[in-house]
Amino acid sequence: MEPANRSKRVTITDVAQHAGVSTAAVSKVLRNAYGVSAAMQERVRAAMAELDYRPHAAARGMRGRTYTIGVLLDNLRNTFFADIIDGIQEQLRDGDYTLMIGAAGFGAEAQGRTVRAMVDRQMDGLILIAPGTSRTEVLATAETTPTVIIGHHDASAVHDSVVDADDLGAGLVVDHLVSLGHRRIALLAAPGTRASRWKRTPEIVLTGGYWEAMERHGLADRAEVVPTDYSDEGGYRAGLQLLGGPRPPTAVMAGADVAALGVYRAAHELGLDIPGDVSLVGYNNTAVAALAPVQLTSVDQAGHTMGSTAARMLLERVEGHRTRAMQTSMTPRLVVRRSTGAPKAD
């Protein structure tokens, strides 16, 4: 029969006694308080490890910090989000913070509920990946909870931002396709919602860069933008619409690799060869783009670096090392693979 005290939760007092220090000293170590010596940190953390001490989340919340970071995304199927989360986790790995992920779907109301739930649970900070919930609600949340937005270019005095230069990325794609001889180049971009009041979402900036590049090459009259969700199903539906018409484009750019794979599926169903009949370009340069059967040309926007940068910026705000809002921009680069080639002669 096991001892009765085996199930007793280890307390901060137990840690203090084991380390031979005061409970106040243990509390300072838990809070990463200023002025705690490296020797004290090591002594207390060794005691915590030996006793398998886990701070009680609710108690930590009452003391002002829960050491949890909430991440909002719309779905788990977009592999680019995995790159971002890997970067976030790498930045948090050596600290005390735990990552909580909320996959809320594409709806603004569902995303808003998830954000509010994270705030209600006293999470110390939030990283919102291309949030579909309203800008008004995000700004109100950021007033009280440190927040970093990934993707949206709208600057703010109350939240930090990590963005990709999406207009430059679109230009890289158009320049590449035009250099191969393409003139009918279509873009698949997420539709967004005016009600959200975001003025410079990634898809808006991407679409603007696409139009600018098409105009620069004298191809504005041949430009075509099809709104669709950044999902395999969204890309598939848009691909059938574009490629099944009487005069389909010779090249398609999708605003996300996951949507490009849906276009790939539609082309296969229609009996079209990539890149023989249609060239295809994605965005994000996720791991799947490099797979041998796919070999998708894609724009790399350094998802892992975006995630680690967002986490670092958030911790600076959470721990009081910085108060002024910042926006950091990644420089995209085009990774050319076998999914793009010269078009067939018209």
Side-chain angles (χ1 to χ4, degrees):
M1 192 170 175
E2 293 189 355
N5 64 352
R6 176 65 61 87
S7 61
K8 179 178 178 292
R9 188 183 186 97
V10 178
T11 68
I12 190 173
T13 302
D14 298 325
V15 173
Q17 290 175 348
H18 192 79
V21 300
S22 67
T23 55
V26 176
S27 179
K28 285 182 178 181
V29 171
L30 288 172
R31 291 184 286 109
N32 289 325
Y34 179 77
V36 179
S37 68
M40 178 65 76
Q41 285 268 4
E42 184 176 352
R43 187 173 181 177
V44 170
R45 293 197 179 280
M48 290 167 58
E50 290 171 16
L51 295 177
D52 193 24
Y53 171 73
R54 292 183 298 109
H56 194 281
R60 296 179 102 176
M62 288 186 287
R63 292 197 298 270
R65 195 177 295 181
T66 61
Y67 292 89
T68 54
I69 300 297
V71 176
L72 174 80
L73 44 84
D74 53 40
N75 74 100
L76 294 171
R77 297 182 182 276
N78 189 335
T79 51
F80 179 57
F81 295 159
D83 293 340
I84 293 176
I85 291 170
D86 279 348
I88 295 171
Q89 289 180 319
E90 181 180 274
Q91 190 68 33
L92 300 179
R93 185 169 296 131
D94 295 330
D96 296 325
Y97 293 88
T98 298
L99 189 66
M100 301 291 184
I101 298 173
F106 294 99
E109 179 53 37
Q111 289 195 18
R113 284 197 304 270
T114 302
V115 170
R116 291 190 292 273
M118 290 176 173
V119 173
D120 290 345
R121 284 158 178 77
Q122 297 181 295
M123 293 189 181
D124 296 318
L126 305 176
I127 297 175
L128 311 182
I129 304 176
T133 191
S134 75
R135 177 159 169 74
T136 302
E137 182 164 2
V138 169
L139 291 176
T141 299
E143 287 279 4
T144 58
T145 304
T147 301
V148 178
I149 307 298
I150 294 181
H152 293 346
H153 293 248
D154 301 62
S156 168
V158 296
H159 67 70
D160 295 325
S161 306
V162 179
V163 302
D164 179 64
D166 297 298
D167 51 347
L168 297 181
L172 291 174
V173 174
V174 173
D175 291 347
H176 169 64
L177 293 171
V178 169
S179 74
L180 293 173
H182 293 277
R183 296 295 179 267
R184 297 197 310 278
I185 303 168
L187 169 67
L188 307 187
T193 58
R194 291 185 178 181
S196 71
R197 299 190 181 277
W198 294 97
K199 295 181 179 179
R200 289 176 55 75
T201 61
E203 55 270 14
I204 289 174
V205 176
L206 184 77
T207 301
Y210 163 80
W211 277 106
E212 289 173 6
M214 293 293 281
E215 289 174 359
R216 175 160 42 84
H217 289 288
L219 300 173
D221 60 331
R222 302 191 183 193
E224 184 175 8
V225 179
V226 177
T228 191
D229 291 335
Y230 286 159
S231 64
D232 177 80
E233 185 61 28
Y236 171 73
R237 291 195 307 268
L240 291 178
Q241 174 187 333
L242 273 172
L243 303 179
R247 191 166 170 76
T250 62
V252 176
M253 171 189 176
D257 284 355
V258 65
L261 295 178
V263 177
Y264 206 111
R265 182 159 60 96
H268 178 75
E269 189 171 301
L270 293 168
L272 300 175
D273 177 66
I274 293 176
D277 296 306
V278 58
S279 284
L280 180 61
V281 182
Y283 209 94
N284 306 145
N285 194 34
T286 54
V288 71
L291 293 177
V294 181
Q295 285 295 296
L296 178 69
T297 294
S298 185
V299 175
D300 191 320
Q301 55 177 329
H304 187 280
T305 303
M306 292 182 85
S308 62
T309 300
R312 175 180 53 77
M313 293 169 71
L314 185 63
L315 292 182
E316 289 174 354
R317 296 293 287 270
V318 168
E319 297 180 354
H321 301 312
R322 176 173 53 83
T323 57
R324 176 176 291 185
M326 292 176 56
Q327 184 173 94
T328 299
S329 181
M330 305 289 138
T331 301
R333 66 184 181 92
L334 184 67
V335 181
V336 178
R337 298 190 179 94
R338 291 201 303 264
S339 69
T340 52
K344 289 182 176 179
D346 284 336

